[in-house]
Amino acid sequence: MAHLLVVESWVGSMSRLLPRAIREGGHEFTFLTRDLHHYLRSAPEGTAHPLLGARNVVTADTNDIDTLLPEAERLHAVFGFDGVISSCDYYLPTVARIAGHLGLPGPGPEAVANACRKDATRRVLADSGVPGPRFALHEEWADIARAAREIGYPLVVKPVDLCAGMYVRRVDNETELTDAVRLLADFPLNARGQRRVPTVLLEELLSGPEVSVETVSYAGAVHVVGVTDKSIGGAPAFIETGHMFPAALSGADADAAEQTALGALKALGLTDGVVAHTEIKLTPAGPRVVEVNPRPAGNRITELIRHVTGIDLAAAAVEVALGREPDLRHRETGLRSAAVGFLVPERSGTLEALDGDRLVDVAGVLEVQLVEPGRQVKAAGSNNEYLGHVMVGDPAGPGARGQVEALLGELSSGLVIR
């Protein structure tokens, strides 16, 4: 039995999947957090809170790396950790620093830090010749406005250190750019109380379908698990409205996406001890890297992959965090594709009606999870405002996306927000 140090987590699906993977692997974990109430305010999926499975729950300031490293060293002396892990983007660099400090397995801290900062990622990939959009990085308004004119409208405005599509916006002119930059300036701390970097990332607006390449790196080799497709809505925001695995691509497009992702991971140095989710835009001029995430894919993609291939990427993340070879064998599951669709609110108000009970018995439905009527909701501006999701599997071929979109349409017709 191995003992993992889990540093923070999300409160959604991965907060359930990661503890489950640790438990099913025959391991145990100590949970380290600066604010236990963060996890108690919003109950995760399932009947039992995943933190009930922790051997220990320890409170420490996970936002202060200078005090956290000696605390982790003290805990390691008592408990003898075999690995360190997190499912929260904001703490992945912290985990890499702790693992390096304690001499435990994991990717290099600099590689993880560069992948978790969009400005650093852009610089590293550009220096290595990995294709991406034209971009600029600035803090002062005059520089931002000038760079926007040089890149050309429309373009994309991004924070360099947020997740889930927060404050990522398409802007078509300088007035919209002004509004987008002002919104960013008014959000100085992220959801975990960490001070944000004021740098603004401007990117060329890329056309074409977007996919993600799911990989597992171990012992210096990067293994491609597959390619997932993505649908986007909520303009001018970029909200993920659904995914299907495997993506319905030609062999040439899938290979081009995979090779571009592998080039990005190599350039960043993420070739050992990491599960990664690399987003690629398939433009008319060829694949372009959108971003690289050094952790398993969110938004239920890990579950889509498990339903189709039998590969558990949460379990793979646990094993590589322990320095062990992950099990990436494909198994027959009876499904050829699986898709998830998210119900995205287009207006703010009180959710008065949303009934998905009948969907549970529909052939092919794997999951239905919807919020209860009576909740206050707001018009979605990121991936954090979903009203729920539906997941479907298709045993015959790549029909899961069409099935899930039809079911979402039925749900939307009965959705009432006042």
Side-chain angles (χ1 to χ4, degrees), residues 136-148 150 202:
L137 294 156
H138 295 290
E139 294 185 16
E140 301 299 327
W141 167 251
D143 296 325
I144 293 170
R146 183 182 65 256
E150 291 172 352
L202 304 177

Side-chain angles (χ1 to χ4, degrees), residues 116-128:
C116 290
R117 279 278 300 271
K118 295 179 177 66
D119 52 342
T121 299
R122 282 281 166 250
R123 290 187 177 111
V124 170
L125 298 188
D127 289 345
S128 300

